[in-house]
């Protein structure tokens, strides 16, 4: 039997037919405050997952391409429809359009490539993932988002990820849902375990570490991952929980940061530079770095610090960032 990778939602909480709101996770990371400056326009994000509901009213205008690498639809590469729901949910958190209906994503004007590497059952072979990464590289995407994982280290998968990063593509992965609530144990899932990727764990809306989030020394940061509202198949909406739901918050945040960085610096930043700008926009929550990495992504860090600490300390932090991209717009 071939080693496999699977999508890793923790659980489907609820399906909803109609909704009209900004999801709590998008609010928590302060994305709406950045929309005055950018909504991620022009940034290309490859979503490697179960496909997407390409006719969903909140997503159809965001999708600019895609390809199927799975055995669904007899392997037809032109059909990347989602029959599972996982991929559609992830895509909505990243970039659901701001159309005054349904939900909105972190970067509602970013462009999506739907790269179907998991089938209708949420499973995928390593070759599908590898081919999907190479396709994303060929499309000159800026960000690859992978809310998937498996127990096996695969050298060819690792090489594909390193190739993407060498092309200045940011690769974001879910940490996994094998956590036991303790930071003393390691729960590894690949590709999230690779040092070259941005590995994302989960917290709830109270900023408490999720019991299911995997802990290890490659976790970079955390984002909302419990009861996350987003798009779903058949034009519907759903709330799901898992590190799969946390990772797309970071993918969308990077799209916003990338545009802001280009405006501020007057040039395209490299992958390491953009990673540094992301980490500058995190706030420690007081948990072990093995659970939270550098903390929760928070796109308006100085304002937040001013509320937590005294103004003098906040001013010190802001001055320390002199020469960097403004942290609040």
């Amino acid at each position: 039997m071939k080693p496999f990778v699977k999508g890793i939602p923790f659980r489907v909480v609820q399906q909803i037919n109609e909704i009209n709101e900004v999801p709590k996770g998008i609010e928590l990371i302060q994305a709406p405050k950045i929309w005055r400056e950018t909504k991620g326009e022009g940034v290309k994000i490859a979503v490697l997952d179960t496909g997407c509901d390409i006719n969903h009213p909140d997503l159809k205008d965001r999708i600019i391409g895609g390809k199927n690498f799975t055995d669904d639809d007899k392997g037809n590469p032109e059909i990347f429809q989602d029959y599972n729901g996982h991929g559609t949910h992830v895509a909505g958190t990243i970039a659901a359009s701001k159309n005054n209906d349904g939900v909105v994503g972190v970067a509602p004007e970013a462009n999506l490539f739907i790269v179907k590497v998991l089938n209708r059952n949420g499973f995928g072979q390593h070759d599908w993932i590898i081919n999907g990464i190479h396709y994303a590289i060929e499309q000159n995407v800026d960000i690859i988002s992978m809310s998937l994982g498996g127990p096996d280290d695969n050298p060819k998968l690792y090489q594909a990820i390193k190739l993407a990063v060498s092309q200045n593509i940011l690769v974001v992965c879910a940490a996994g849902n094998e956590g036991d609530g303790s930071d003393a144990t390691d729960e590894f899932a690949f590709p999230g375990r690779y040092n070259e990727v941005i590995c994302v764990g989960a917290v709830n809306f109270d900023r408490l570490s999720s019991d299911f989030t995997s802990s290890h020394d490659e976790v970079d940061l955390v984002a909302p991952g419990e009861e996350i509202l987003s798009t779903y198949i058949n034009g519907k909406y759903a709330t799901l929980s898992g590190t799969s739901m946390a990772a797309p918050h970071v993918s969308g945040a990077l799209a916003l940061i990338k545009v802001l960085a280009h405006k501020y610096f007057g040039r395209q930043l490299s992958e390491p530079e953009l990673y540094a700008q992301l980490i500058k926009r995190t706030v420690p929550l007081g948990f072990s770095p093995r659970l939270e990495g550098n903390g929760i992504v928070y796109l308006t860090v100085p304002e937040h610090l001013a509320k937590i600490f005294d103004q003098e300390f906040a001013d010190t932090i802001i001055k320390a960032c002199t020469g960097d991209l403004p942290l609040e717009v």
Side-chain angles (χ1 to χ4, degrees), residues 113-133:
F113 280 91
I114 304 303
V115 187
K116 185 169 179 174
V117 297
L118 304 176
N119 62 21
R120 66 180 64 237
N121 297 315
F123 288 89
Q125 297 176 8
H126 279 130
D127 286 348
W128 300 350
I129 315 295
I130 294 164
N131 291 335
I133 292 171

Side-chain angles (χ1 to χ4, degrees), residues 66 72 83 98 112 117 142 150 157 192 198 211 214 224 261 265 307 320:
D72 281 355
Y83 308 112
K98 192 175 187 295
L112 299 177
V117 297
D142 302 294
L157 174 61
I198 300 170
D211 288 341
S214 295
F265 290 105
K307 293 178 180 178

Side-chain angles (χ1 to χ4, degrees), residues 45-52 54 63-73 75-82 112-119 127-139 141:
I45 304 173
V47 183
L48 274 64
D49 214 290
T50 62
C52 185
I54 60 175
I63 299 170
I64 62 172
K67 192 170 183 179
N68 172 35
F69 292 94
T70 76
D71 53 9
D72 281 355
D73 295 300
N76 187 333
E78 303 302 317
I79 303 176
F80 40 89
Q81 185 69 29
D82 184 9
L112 299 177
F113 280 91
I114 304 303
V115 187
K116 185 169 179 174
V117 297
L118 304 176
N119 62 21
D127 286 348
W128 300 350
I129 315 295
I130 294 164
N131 291 335
I133 292 171
H134 283 291
Y135 169 77
I137 295 171
E138 292 166 4
Q139 303 309 309
V141 304

Side-chain angles (χ1 to χ4, degrees), residues 302 304-306 308-320:
H304 183 57
L305 287 174
I308 295 178
F309 304 106
D310 61 82
Q311 187 60 51
E312 181 179 355
F313 180 76
D315 289 343
T316 300
I317 295 294
I318 295 170
K319 288 178 181 178

Side-chain angles (χ1 to χ4, degrees), residues 135-194:
Y135 169 77
I137 295 171
E138 292 166 4
Q139 303 309 309
N140 296 312
V141 304
D142 302 294
I143 300 163
I144 292 174
S145 190
M146 291 193 284
S147 289
L148 49 81
D152 299 300
D153 181 4
N154 184 293
K156 291 184 178 180
L157 174 61
Y158 189 28
Q159 288 299 321
I161 287 171
K162 288 194 289 187
L163 177 61
V165 172
S166 74
Q167 300 296 311
N168 281 324
I169 298 173
L170 296 142
V171 181
V172 180
C173 295
N177 300 329
E178 306 301 324
D180 56 7
S182 170
D183 63 353
T185 54
D186 290 326
E187 300 92 20
F188 295 132
F190 297 92
R193 178 66 177 84
Y194 296 133

Side-chain angles (χ1 to χ4, degrees), residues 90 93-94 145-148 172-175 198-201 223-225 242-253:
V90 166
T93 296
I94 296 172
S145 190
M146 291 193 284
S147 289
L148 49 81
V172 180
C173 295
I198 300 170
C199 184
V200 186
T243 58
S244 279
M245 286 60 257
H249 284 88
V250 173
S251 299

Side-chain angles (χ1 to χ4, degrees), residues 26-42:
I26 279 61
E27 293 275 13
L28 182 60
I29 70 169
Q30 301 292 289
K33 292 188 177 181
I34 305 300
W35 295 341
R36 292 173 292 180
E37 185 73 17
T38 178
K39 297 182 179 71
E41 60 276 3

